[in-house]
């Protein structure tokens, strides 16, 4: 009997120990994850509305006697979904993704259903008209743009003209234009536009500086602290050296880049996301934190062939950006388990680089067409001019706007407009003879971006393409964006700057300059600063007794070996950064 009681007692103690152990595990391991989930909730991002106060006339073709013009709808649907249609204006049509085709077919099916029910055209059907038209014109635009692989002489001249014109022409008087009188609520001239694929209002649960991460989570982007990527193919676009790579799941793609935009693109994208826009998702990787693996079956099989290809396409020597290379060893897998399947494969690592996500859930079309479908009337697009000015983004060409389809799960999709390639910012120098340009030069990033004189607000940062929304921007539009910029406080700015991982003195100088530029914007528009951020235009920083920053100017090219593109030299990508 005693033995039986003893056995029961021992069993009871064993169960209690197990319960205590489980409780301990929950508190130490699970609870923090639960707390993280509560502090950063994944709030679903809805598409928003495309409707404007006045429907663009180009959409009249979708309507026949107040009802859906099914013939016209089917014509557009046929062009967008039929892969047998391969040419537009004697130009090869860009590939149509399966997800985009599926999304378009869903939209067409809704129109078919409305036609069969003999429904009058309403707001729901108009939303689909807008979306179908945008997809249709964006595919055409992308196809024509892809056919022009090199920038023409006329395009270069146009960029230079716009750069000069924008430097002189952005002046705004505090008055109500005829456009605003027709389209804006006179009792609330600063009313936020409604959520749309072009812009979303802030979400209370998500701090502004966390919106970049929120967008990334909604697209299932998973950037690790240390990344292993697989070479996929060369890239022929743009002037910044880059290649296309694959995640280890072989589904999600990335663009791997080097050069002067690896810091600036990260911060520019975070700031635009904080202001309500959808963006690309670039992530900075420090020395040896990214490993590129080569496959002997691909066009490029090792480090030397990569160097040759980058030199051939971009005329840039990649050698100064490379740290280690060779064959993946078993010892390397002990330090980074993701390398285990690639023992014996060729690899290369870098001093620094940026990895930009191309998630499988997001399909990219062409431009989001800022000059069509009355998009120039959208306050969120007109106000974006001041966002570009805030970060000093020079490259505002239409090709840096993207229309995308985002898979939300369960075969549901939403359209989203993306501001892409925001890296040509934070201090830009352009050279004509010889042709060249360089970005991320902190000494070329002015302390002020806006001023007010003679009753007019003046913006002083040049852009290379004055798109229709920027041409139509008014004082009220920019005042609206100025208030959004005013919502960014000091800790938010620091957090976003820290994502770029500039050397500390440079990061500090950029923080003070952004704070100053923000203050100049608020002062120009006579706004009370809701979150005053102290800054020092005479900032001075010493490192080991030597002046690195003095009177607000960078004096020394910090860690030049680790930063081969240089933070002081004005030799840019078109002159091989001086190498």
């Amino acid at each position: 009997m005693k033995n039986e009681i003893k056995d029961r007692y021992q069993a009871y103690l064993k169960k209690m120990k197990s319960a205590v152990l489980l409780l301990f595990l929950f508190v130490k391991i699970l609870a923090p994850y639960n707390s993280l989930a509560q502090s950063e909730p994944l709030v679903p991002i809805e598409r928003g509305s495309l409707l404007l106060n006045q429907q663009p006339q180009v959409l009249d073709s979708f309507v026949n006697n107040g009802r859906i013009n099914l013939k016209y709808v089917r014509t557009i649907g046929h062009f967008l979904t039929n892969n047998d249609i391969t040419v537009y204006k004697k130009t090869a049509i860009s590939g149509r993704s399966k997800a985009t085709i599926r999304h378009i077919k869903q939209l067409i099916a809704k129109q078919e259903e409305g036609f069969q029910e003999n429904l009058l055209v309403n707001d729901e059907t108009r939303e689909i008209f807008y979306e179908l038209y945008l997809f249709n014109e964006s595919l055409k635009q992308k196809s024509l743009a892809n056919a022009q692989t090199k920038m023409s002489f006329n395009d270069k001249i146009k960029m230079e003209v716009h750069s000069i014109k924008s430097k002189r022409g952005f002046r705004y008087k505090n008055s109500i234009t005829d456009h605003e009188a027709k389209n804006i609520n006179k009792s609330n001239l600063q009313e936020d536009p409604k959520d749309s694929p072009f812009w979303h209002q802030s979400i209370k649960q998500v701090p502004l500086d966390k919106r970049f991460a929120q967008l990334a989570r909604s697209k299932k982007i998973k950037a690790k602290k240390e990344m292993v990527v697989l070479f996929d193919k060369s890239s022929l676009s743009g002037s910044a050296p880059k290649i296309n790579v694959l995640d280890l799941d072989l589904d999600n793609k990335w663009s791997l880049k080097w050069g002067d935009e690896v810091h600036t693109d990260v911060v520019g994208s975070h700031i635009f996301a904080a202001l309500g826009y959808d963006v690309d998702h670039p992530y900075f990787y420090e020395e040896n934190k990214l490993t590129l693996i080569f496959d002997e079956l691909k066009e490029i099989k090792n480090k030397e062939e990569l160097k040759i290809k980058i030199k051939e396409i971009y005329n840039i020597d990649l050698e100064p950006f490379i740290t280690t290379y060779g064959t993946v060893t078993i010892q390397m897998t002990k330090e980074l388990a993701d390398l285990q399947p690639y023992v014996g494969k060729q690899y290369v690592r870098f001093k620094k680089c940026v990895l930009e996500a191309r998630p499988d859930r997001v399909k990219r079309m062409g431009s989001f067409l800022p000059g069509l479908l009355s998009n120039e009337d959208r306050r969120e697009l007109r106000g974006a001019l001041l966002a570009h000015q805030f970060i000093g983004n020079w490259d505002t060409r239409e090709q840096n706007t993207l229309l995308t389809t985002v898979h939300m799960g369960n075969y549901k999709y939403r359209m989203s407009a993306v501001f892409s390639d925001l890296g040509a910012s934070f201090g830009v120098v352009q050279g004509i003879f010889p042709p060249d340009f360089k970005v991320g030069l902190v000494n070329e990033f002015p302390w002020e971006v806006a001023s007010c004189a003679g009753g007019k607000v003046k913006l002083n940062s040049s852009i290379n393409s004055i798109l229709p929304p920027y041409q139509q921007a008014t004082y009220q539009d920019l005042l609206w964006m100025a208030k959004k910029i005013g919502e960014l406080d000091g800790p938010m700015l620091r957090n976003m700057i820290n994502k770029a991982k500039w050397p500390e003195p440079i990061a500090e100088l950029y923080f003070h300059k952004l704070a100053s530029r923000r203050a100049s914007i608020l002062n120009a528009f006579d706004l009370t600063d809701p979150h005053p951020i102290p800054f020092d235009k005479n900032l001075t920083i010493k490192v080991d007794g030597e002046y690195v920053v003095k009177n607000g100017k960078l004096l020394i090219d910090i860690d030049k070996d680790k930063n081969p593109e240089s933070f002081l030299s004005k030799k840019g990508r078109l002159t091989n950064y001086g190498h």
Side-chain angles (χ1 to χ4, degrees):
M1 183 70 175
K2 288 182 179 179
N3 289 336
E4 185 179 349
I5 292 173
K6 185 178 179 180
D7 291 340
R8 287 181 180 177
Y9 181 71
Q10 291 293 337
Y12 171 78
L13 286 178
K14 191 174 181 180
K15 287 181 179 179
M16 287 298 294
K17 287 180 179 178
S18 297
V20 171
L21 179 60
L22 286 172
L23 181 61
F24 176 82
L25 288 172
F26 175 81
V27 172
K28 292 293 184 182
I29 300 176
L30 298 180
Y33 284 104
N34 185 53
S35 173
L36 181 64
Q38 288 179 355
S39 63
E40 296 185 13
L42 181 57
V43 181
I45 299 174
E46 302 297 333
R47 166 185 173 277
S49 174
L50 282 163
L51 298 184
L52 294 167
N53 292 339
Q54 294 182 340
Q55 179 173 300
Q57 289 186 346
V58 293
L59 297 184
D60 290 347
S61 299
F62 285 92
V63 183
N64 186 13
N65 294 323
R67 288 174 169 77
I68 298 169
N69 183 351
L70 192 61
K71 182 178 180 181
Y72 186 72
V73 169
R74 285 176 172 172
T75 299
I76 285 186
H78 183 63
F79 176 75
L80 286 171
T81 61
N82 188 350
N83 280 319
D84 290 335
I85 302 176
T86 58
V87 175
Y88 169 70
K89 289 188 176 180
K90 299 181 180 181
T91 300
I93 293 178
S94 301
R96 307 167 177 88
S97 71
K98 291 180 180 178
T100 301
I101 289 175
R102 191 181 298 121
H103 179 40
I104 298 299
K105 286 183 175 179
Q106 289 176 356
L107 298 177
I108 299 296
K110 289 181 181 179
Q111 299 289 66
E112 295 268 4
E113 184 179 335
F115 178 81
Q116 295 302 327
E117 295 177 5
N118 202 30
L119 295 178
L120 289 172
V121 169
N122 54 30
D123 284 350
E124 183 178 354
T125 50
R126 289 191 186 93
E127 291 279 4
I128 297 176
F129 296 162
Y130 274 89
E131 194 159 337
L132 287 174
Y133 186 85
L134 281 170
F135 275 122
N136 188 60
E137 297 304 311
S138 184
L139 178 59
K140 294 176 181 177
Q141 183 269 350
K142 181 180 181 181
S143 302
L144 294 174
N146 285 351
Q148 185 179 344
T149 55
K150 291 187 177 181
M151 187 180 297
S152 69
F153 178 75
N154 285 339
D155 286 337
K156 293 177 181 178
I157 293 296
K158 188 176 180 180
M159 286 170 57
E160 190 61 31
V161 169
H162 279 224
S163 295
I164 296 170
K165 186 178 179 181
S166 63
K167 192 82 171 178
R168 299 173 178 172
F170 288 146
R171 291 174 171 81
Y172 303 90
K173 187 176 181 180
N174 186 2
S175 59
I176 307 301
T177 66
D178 291 340
H179 167 80
E180 287 168 334
K182 292 179 181 178
N183 294 287
I184 294 178
N185 181 357
K186 293 181 182 179
S187 64
N188 186 7
L189 293 173
Q190 287 301 290
E191 185 177 26
D192 277 341
K194 54 194 172 186
D195 279 7
S196 73
F198 298 95
W199 180 84
H200 283 78
Q201 298 185 42
S202 59
I203 305 168
K204 289 183 179 179
Q205 304 97 309
V206 182
L208 297 180
D209 57 322
K210 302 294 184 184
R211 289 185 68 159
F212 178 92
Q214 176 78 1
L215 285 166
R217 291 176 66 198
S218 73
K219 301 171 188 177
K220 304 295 183 184
I221 296 172
K222 297 177 181 178
K224 298 179 181 179
K225 290 183 178 179
E226 290 192 52
M227 286 288 289
V228 176
V229 293
L230 312 176
F231 176 82
D232 184 26
K233 58 185 178 180
S234 303
S235 174
L236 299 174
S237 64
S239 58
K242 66 177 78 67
I243 58 173
N244 298 316
V245 298
L246 294 171
D247 211 330
L248 298 185
D249 61 14
L250 301 181
D251 285 329
N252 291 295
K253 300 178 180 180
W254 301 82
S255 180
L256 177 57
K257 303 179 182 181
W258 305 272
D260 53 345
E261 292 188 22
V262 297
H263 302 283
T264 58
D265 201 7
V266 175
V267 184
S269 297
H270 273 78
I271 289 176
F272 259 65
L275 295 175
Y277 299 104
D278 197 358
V279 292
D280 285 333
H281 290 270
Y283 298 87
F284 178 84
Y285 282 88
E286 296 176 285
E287 187 169 340
N288 294 335
K289 293 297 183 181
L290 181 139
T291 306
L292 172 62
I293 303 292
F294 296 100
D295 186 331
E296 57 272 14
L297 299 178
K298 296 284 187 176
E299 64 166 316
I300 295 176
K301 302 172 180 61
N302 52 49
K303 182 265 289 188
E304 286 302 321
E305 291 185 8
L306 175 65
K307 280 179 54 183
I308 291 170
K309 182 58 72 171
I310 293 296
K311 185 70 173 177
E312 176 188 317
I313 298 173
Y314 299 102
N315 194 33
I316 287 174
D317 181 10
L318 199 61
E319 184 66 34
F321 296 90
I322 293 172
T323 53
T324 62
Y325 61 93
T327 303
V328 177
T329 64
I330 293 176
Q331 181 61 36
M332 291 171 64
T333 67
K334 294 177 181 178
E335 299 171 3
L336 187 57
D338 283 347
L339 288 172
Q340 287 178 355
Y342 306 104
V343 173
K345 297 281 188 182
Q346 289 286 302
Y347 81 94
V348 62
R349 288 173 173 168
F350 308 97
K351 293 179 180 178
K352 62 178 180 179
C353 57
V354 72
L355 196 60
E356 188 174 282
R358 296 286 187 271
D360 185 56
R361 281 181 172 259
V362 180
K363 304 303 180 186
R364 300 153 74 94
M365 188 72 75
S367 160
F368 63 55
L369 307 171
L372 286 182
L373 206 64
S374 298
N375 282 336
E376 68 275 9
D377 288 341
R378 297 184 184 275
R379 164 163 282 179
E380 57 268 41
L381 295 186
R382 298 197 305 268
L385 170 63
L386 189 57
H388 286 299
Q389 295 277 309
F390 180 47
I391 68 171
N393 182 36
W394 176 67
D395 194 0
T396 56
R397 290 171 296 163
E398 183 175 344
Q399 68 187 58
N400 292 332
T401 70
L402 290 174
L403 195 65
T404 68
T405 296
V406 182
H407 184 204
M408 302 169 67
N410 298 322
Y411 297 105
K412 293 182 180 179
Y413 304 88
R414 66 176 175 87
M415 170 191 283
S416 186
V418 170
F419 280 93
S420 179
D421 286 341
L422 293 165
S425 49
F426 296 96
V428 181
V429 170
Q430 307 139 244
I432 302 176
F433 303 107
D436 196 15
F437 73 98
K438 181 82 174 286
V439 309
L441 293 170
V442 67
N443 287 343
E444 304 300 324
F445 192 51
W447 284 90
E448 295 185 351
V449 69
S451 59
C452 186
K456 288 186 177 181
V457 170
K458 179 181 179 297
L459 306 179
N460 67 17
S461 186
S462 66
I463 59 177
N464 65 13
S465 183
I466 307 175
L467 299 177
Y470 309 150
Q471 211 165 22
Q472 300 296 328
T474 67
Y475 181 94
Q476 295 295 331
D477 297 324
L478 302 183
L479 174 60
W480 168 78
M481 176 50 66
K483 291 179 179 178
K484 299 300 174 188
I485 292 171
E487 292 174 8
L488 303 176
D489 61 24
M492 289 176 184
L493 274 183
R494 282 201 182 277
N495 287 342
M496 292 187 287
I497 288 171
N498 288 342
K499 297 295 183 183
K501 299 186 179 179
W502 274 300
E504 286 187 15
I506 294 177
E508 187 66 15
L509 185 52
Y510 268 121
F511 172 78
H512 282 257
K513 285 199 166 188
L514 276 173
S516 175
R517 289 166 74 90
R518 174 184 171 278
S520 75
I521 289 170
L522 298 181
N523 289 336
F525 286 94
D526 197 24
L527 292 172
T528 301
D529 194 338
H531 310 288
I533 306 173
F535 58 88
D536 182 4
K537 290 186 177 181
N538 295 309
L539 180 71
T540 296
I541 300 173
K542 280 186 175 182
V543 177
D544 297 329
E546 185 178 16
Y547 284 108
V548 175
V549 175
K550 189 173 183 180
N551 295 327
K553 188 173 183 179
L554 180 68
L555 300 181
I556 296 173
D557 219 353
I558 302 172
D559 294 331
K560 195 170 182 179
D561 182 61
K562 293 182 179 180
N563 303 287
E565 79 282 14
S566 170
F567 296 114
L568 283 179
S569 171
K570 295 180 182 179
K571 292 183 178 180
R573 65 193 70 173
L574 302 184
T575 53
N576 192 22
Y577 301 110
H579 298 297

